[in-house]
């Protein structure tokens, strides 16, 4: 079932703009993998809650969506934030065209950067980001698509732009915990489901916790996404994916 078909709290989240990007093939693929859909709903809800909690503490919240894609938080979260969306230039341009007739609730600023080959720090500053103010950086569904080297650089840069008290929320493949199985086995199920439809899964971080520590972050939460369900009053389903989600606070 899709979130839009689930009643009340069972859906965990609502994205009234998903129809703009999900064509028939994407919808059919989503229906075919209930576990992945559940996992994505849990991930979205967790991050929504983190963003709302951050916004409740900061009068002029800054949000950076790293690899923003078609994330609609600037349009659907009723807060008063500045949302910096970093992604490939073409993706951001396509999103702007798709959403042209919808006014974002928050200030939305597109920051085109290829995270695999360039730093996002200068473009973000040039776009008006205030390095003195805390920020919540969301890295959702992206680390898998980068090489270990590029993913590590991204985390180091997140540390560099984050004032003390800033928050970083990211999902990642459980590579370190997969032991000798490695990234391939940790992401095989996901790669099979994504098929040829998307970008190839690369490797992401080999050790999220030590990378975060070196970048100046203290981990405050780190859980398998599929084990988040009891937090939202739902039973734990069949374990299929190895993705974890981490929240870290800048020291
Ligand atoms: C699976 S989507 C996730 C999008 C969004 N964060 C969400 O959760 O809805 C992955 C996103 O990462 C972006 N991405 C992947 N590699 C990137 C790179 N090298 N530079 C910038 N963005 C990248 C893709 O363009 C895409 O928008």
């Amino acid at each position: 079932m899709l979130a839009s078909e689930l009643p009340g709290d069972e859906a965990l989240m609502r994205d009234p703009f998903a129809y703009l990007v999900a064509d028939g093939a994407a919808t059919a693929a989503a229906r075919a993998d209930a576990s992945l859909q559940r996992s994505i709903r849990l991930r979205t809800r967790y991050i929504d809650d983190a963003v709302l909690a951050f916004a409740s503490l900061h009068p002029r919240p800054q949000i950076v969506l790293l690899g923003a894609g078609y994330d609609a938080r600037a349009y659907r979260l009723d807060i008063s934030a500045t949302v910096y969306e970093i992604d490939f230039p073409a993706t951001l341009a396509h999103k702007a065209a798709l959403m042209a007739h919808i006014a974002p609730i928050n200030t939305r600023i597109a920051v085109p950067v290829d995270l695999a080959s360039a730093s996002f720090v200068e473009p973000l500053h040039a776009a008006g980001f205030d390095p003195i103010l805390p920020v919540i950086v969301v890295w959702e569904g992206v680390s898998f698509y980068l090489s270990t080297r590029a993913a590590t650089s991204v985390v180091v840069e997140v540390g560099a732009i984050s004032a003390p008290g800033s928050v970083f929320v990211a999902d990642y493949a459980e590579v370190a915990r997969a032991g000798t199985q490695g990234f391939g086995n940790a992401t095989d199920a996901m790669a099979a489901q994504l098929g040829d439809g998307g970008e190839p899964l690369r490797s992401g971080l080999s050790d999220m916790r030590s990378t975060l520590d070196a970048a100046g972050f203290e981990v405050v939460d780190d859980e398998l996404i599929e084990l988040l369900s009891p937090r939202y009053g739902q039973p734990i389903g069949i374990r299929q994916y190895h993705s974890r989600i981490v929240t870290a606070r800048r020291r």
Side-chain angles (χ1 to χ4, degrees):
M1 296 259 276
L2 306 178
S4 57
E5 298 158 350
L6 289 166
D9 284 350
E10 223 179 292
L12 294 170
M13 45 75 64
R14 302 269 170 212
D15 185 346
F17 307 109
Y19 75 95
L20 287 169
V21 284
D23 59 13
T27 305
R31 282 187 197 289
D33 192 338
S35 293
L36 184 59
Q37 284 311 298
R38 199 169 132 275
S39 199
I40 290 173
R41 286 199 303 277
L42 285 164
R43 178 177 93 180
T44 305
R45 168 62 178 273
Y46 180 97
I47 296 174
D48 281 358
D49 285 354
V51 170
L52 293 172
F54 183 85
S56 74
L57 293 175
H58 298 278
R60 289 162 45 213
Q62 304 187 103
I63 303 170
V64 171
L65 302 177
L66 273 178
Y70 299 96
D71 181 319
R73 290 191 174 92
Y75 299 83
R76 66 180 178 78
L77 291 188
D78 193 8
I79 50 180
S80 192
T82 303
V83 183
Y84 297 92
E85 297 193 354
I86 298 177
D87 209 299
F88 292 119
T91 304
L92 291 173
H94 185 235
K95 181 177 187 174
L98 275 181
M99 307 292 275
H101 61 294
I102 300 164
I105 297 172
N106 299 284
T107 302
R108 174 185 173 267
I109 300 178
V111 185
V113 177
D114 178 350
L115 295 169
S117 60
S119 165
F120 67 83
V121 175
E122 281 313 310
L124 188 61
H125 286 159
F129 176 80
D130 187 343
I132 304 298
L133 295 178
V135 57
I136 180 164
V137 178
V138 173
W139 202 27
E140 182 182 12
V142 187
S143 63
F144 322 100
Y145 297 102
L146 298 173
S147 67
T148 301
R149 190 170 161 198
T152 304
S153 296
V154 166
V155 176
V156 170
E157 290 191 352
V158 173
I161 62 147
S162 297
S166 295
V167 175
F168 182 43
V169 188
D171 62 323
Y172 64 104
E174 196 180 29
V175 180
R177 289 154 208 258
T180 53
Q181 294 178 323
F183 181 78
N185 280 359
T187 57
D188 270 356
M190 198 185 305
Q193 174 60 23
L194 293 173
D196 297 330
E199 298 168 56
L201 292 172
R202 294 199 168 81
S203 58
L205 289 151
S206 53
D207 187 339
M208 179 61 115
R209 279 173 165 264
S210 63
T211 309
L212 282 169
D213 184 51
F217 285 95
E218 177 192 359
V219 171
V220 293
D221 192 24
D222 183 14
E223 182 58 283
L224 278 162
I225 292 175
E226 290 175 338
L227 297 186
L228 292 174
S229 356
R231 300 189 188 190
Y232 308 110
Q234 297 195 356
I236 294 169
I238 298 165
R239 287 278 319 278
Q240 192 168 350
Y241 295 106
H242 296 258
S243 305
R244 300 184 70 84
I245 193 146
V246 68
T247 299
R249 187 165 295 122
R250 185 74 168 91
R251 288 190 285 265

